[in-house]
Amino acid sequence: MVRLLVRAIWTPAWTTGALALALLTLAGLGQVLLASSVSPAPELLLHLVLGVAGSIAPLALAVGALAGMASGVARLREEHALLALAASGLSQQKIALLGMVLLVPVAFAHAGLGHFAEPLARSWVRDTRAAAAAAIVPRADRPVRVGSWWAAVEGDGLVFTDGLATGRAAGWAIGARRGGVFVELEEAELRLASGESVRAAHVAVPIPIANRGKVHVSERTTPDLLRQLAISASLGRDRLERWLLWKRTLLPVLLVPLGVAAAGFARRLSPGPIVGTLLIGSWVAVRLCDAGIERIGAPTAAFGLMFAASLVGGWAWRR
């Protein structure tokens, strides 16, 4: 009987998780491509797909876990197998406990993704966007865009503008850098909006592509973030980074009571509305904590979220 319950939960969990990963990756990839100024080459496009999939994997895992718990119990209910489980001695409390045990390894996998794989994937997407922008070649017949910078070949030189100033250079080189593009200009002449002209034998221009050329805290693995926290704490602006560090452990832990709640509600309700309500509700609660983290602090926010999720899980299994 236990094997029947496990099979009923894991089958829809894997199926829904894989489907969620595919759909969320397509949506995330579309968003990244719309935000990019150029179309990446095929090999860079593959890098983007893998990076977006890695950054979205924790959410897909959570969707699969909740859907598996809800769909598995709902299927047993429709087939009247819950009565058979109860008759064999597997009470509702034992079913809830078994569901909790099944969710523990999922929570550990979620934590591993959140602490290491997701930030690495985000940084990979950032660097791939920069590499795609640096791979463009200005031509005479068509201007190209690199971030806020437009350029085209005119005669033997390069003409360019950022919307505020225009310029011309005899030689140029474009290279990728973390979060942006580095343009080196030789024998450059720049005309400012005020009408003033500036000449230079060599000019290096950084052009941000993602996150204004900076490393976002979500792109740092936990060891890297811990090192950054020491710097931010000395400047008195570490609360947001510390909260992100808490969330990388808190969200996987929250998955256990939320999954138990999904199974409990599925004894009476359809799986779809259950999973949607739990995901949206938890997302809203976390965003509210994000907005007020400067006032309430990470420990208070974490305790409040965990207490609320535990209440929902217990209420779902009321008789």
Side-chain angles (χ1 to χ4, degrees), residues 182-199:
F182 202 69
V183 181
E184 295 187 79
L185 304 173
E186 303 292 340
E187 301 297 331
E189 179 182 357
L190 183 65
R191 183 175 297 276
L192 305 179
S194 61
E196 180 183 359
S197 295
V198 179
R199 294 177 179 270

Side-chain angles (χ1 to χ4, degrees), residues 242-268:
R242 198 172 299 278
W243 173 233
L244 176 61
L245 190 61
W246 274 71
K247 285 198 299 182
R248 289 180 178 178
T249 301
L250 176 64
L251 294 181
V253 174
L254 287 176
L255 192 59
V256 176
L258 291 178
V260 172
F265 286 128
R267 296 175 304 154
R268 301 179 296 276

Side-chain angles (χ1 to χ4, degrees), residues 10 166 224 289:
W10 278 121
T166 58
D224 189 19
C289 291

Side-chain angles (χ1 to χ4, degrees), residues 45-62:
L45 181 61
L46 178 60
H47 288 179
L48 280 179
V49 171
L50 295 176
V52 172
S55 64
I56 216 72
L59 177 57
L61 183 64

